[in-house]
Structures are given as structure tokens and as C-alpha cells.
Amino acid sequence: LGIAAAAVCVGLLGYAETFTHILVLFLVGVMGVGAFHPASAATTGQLAGKRRSAMLSVFFLFGMIGGVLGNVLSPQYVNAFGALSGETGTAATDAGLRSLVWLIPPGLIAASILTWAIRRVPHRTSEAQTAHASLRKDDQTRRWLAFWILYAGNVIRFTTNQMLVYLMIEWTERLVRTDAGVETLTESLGQRASEFNGPLQGSMQVGMGFGALALGFFLPTKHEKKAFIVIPLVGAAAMLAIPLADGMLPRSAFAAASVAGLLTLVAGFGFGSLVPVSMSLGQRLLPHRTSFASGMMLGGAWGVAVIGPQIMRAIHDGLAGTLETGFAVAAGSIALASVLAFWLPGRLLRDIAPH
């Protein structure tokens, strides 16, 4: 139902005649996307068996690939159909947007295939509810406490992600202004900044997605707590180092952006690669509430991350006025996730590893 709602609403965007129409279509469409994740992540974990972390990392990676491809391909799709319409200017754009309606049938087909594929797959094992109820009260409490620590860590991870999105936009604009020796960003310099910014944002996604894939397949369950402590510190170090890429100027703005790209990749690994592992642990900690666990680790944490850019804007524009301070705050933020991980009950995490 989530996929079907998203396909229908996105497909109808070109027929919106008022802002209210756009708002409703966008809201319901995004709700459809959000509704898909908890149940599908829980089902993926159930199908994966003892390969839960690995398969959830694949789930996470392909979700990120879909997000990137959607951003890249949808404008091309609209432009292509606008050109095929024979119209020009705004009329061509309108025709291209209306052509989104042709994405509805494949979206509904995909939803139908998914429905057929998982029609007999439960979100959890049949005895999960009974098994959890049979645990001693203090064991149940320890599981829930570990879950909320993981959730708080993911809130920090996604918030740091959004902080870095803001910071890299501002950093690339500063880079091209400094390289050009001007104080004000012109339209042409803004275009150049966006050309630098796009690959840098993509580097973060690569670090998150492929880092998650590597951890999902190769991180031993007995070392999961250690990973939650160490990996955020790696990301924090990379964030602190990003402004140092300015040292490549005035020799080459491209070289500076390339160095920053490598650092943002490491930063993405530091704050994003553990998300699927946290989903796997959440499902193993709460085997009777796997959809809830998955939803909280993704959307429940991501929804709070809207504060990230607001924090950075306040620091950049008012409280401190420097990007270096912003990068330091972002690094301190993800380091806090490392501190929280010390309170994860390591023995409990090892005990639930086979589940």
C-alpha cells in the first residue's frame, strides 16, 4: 500500500493546479514511502535468518541507491518527455511533469509483485511474543534500555548527516568565492559551487551505503559494541579535517574539493554505516516488535534530524560565524554516539547474536 500510494501521488504531481494539491500529493506520497520501510525491513530480517545484518545492509544500500537515482533521473525524465511533446519553455516542463503519470503502472506492478512475494512471510517468528513474555522483568528492561540507546545513537547519526549536508553546501560556496577572490557569490560561481557540492554529497552516500554493506557482511556479532564505539570517532576525525582541505588553495579548487570528497566519504562511513547494524540489533532485541524496531531505527530517528541544519545555521549565522566551528560541533555530535555506545550491554548483544 505504501509503494502504491507513493506511485500514484508522484505520478499525479504534474496535474496539481494549486499549492494545496501539491502539498497533499507530496505528503501522502512521502507517507507511502515511510510506511513501506518498517514492515519491509522487518520482513527482510525475518527472511534473512542468521544473515540479518548482512541482508539489512543490502536493504539499506539499495534504498540509498534508489534515493540517489530518483534525484538524478527524475529531472532527466521530465526534460526528455517535455522535449518529445514538441513544446518549448514552460509548456514543455508542464508536459514533462504530466508524463510522470506513466510511472504509476510500473509502480503498481512493483507493489503487486512485492505483495505476492511476501504474502506468506510473517514479520516475526510465531513464538516471539511468548518468548519475550517469558523473560524475567529485568531482562526485558535491559533489552528495552539497549534498544533506546541504539535509537538515541541513530538520532545523532541522522542529525549529524543533515548537519554535514548543510556544512558542505556552505563550504563549497566559500571554496569558489575564495578561489575567485570575491566576497559575493555570483550566478556563475553558484553553478560552480553546485558542481562541486553534488559529488561531495554523493561521497557521503557512498560512505554510508557501501560502508554499511561491508559491516553487514564482515562485522562479527561479537564486535558489534566495539564498532559502535570506534567507528563514530573515525567519522568525527574526518569531519574535523574537512576544513583543512582549504589549504590546497590557491593552487587548485578541484584538488581541495577532491580531498574534501575523500573526507566526506570517511565521514559518511562514520555516521551512517552502522544504521543497518542498529536495525538488526533492534530486531534481535525486540523479536516480538520487529516492525516497531525497524521503524524507530529509520523514520523514528530520521524525523528528529530536521534539527541538524537549523543548528548549523544558528552556529554559522549567529553564535560563532565560522564553518570550522560548525564542523567541530558536527564532529562532537557524532562522538556523542560513541560515548552512548559504552552503555550498551555487551553480554546481552552477544547473547542475541544467533537470533
Side-chain angles (χ1 to χ4, degrees), residues 72-85 92-93 95-97 99:
V72 172
L73 297 180
S74 56
Q76 305 301 323
Y77 178 95
V78 169
N79 289 338
F81 275 85
L84 288 173
S85 71
T93 302
L97 287 170
S99 71

Side-chain angles (χ1 to χ4, degrees), residues 37-64:
H37 285 86
S40 57
T43 304
T44 298
Q46 180 67 16
L47 287 166
K50 293 184 179 180
R51 305 281 289 174
R52 189 182 296 265
S53 292
M55 293 302 103
L56 283 171
S57 71
V58 174
F59 176 87
F60 182 71
L61 172 64
F62 275 81
M64 300 194 72

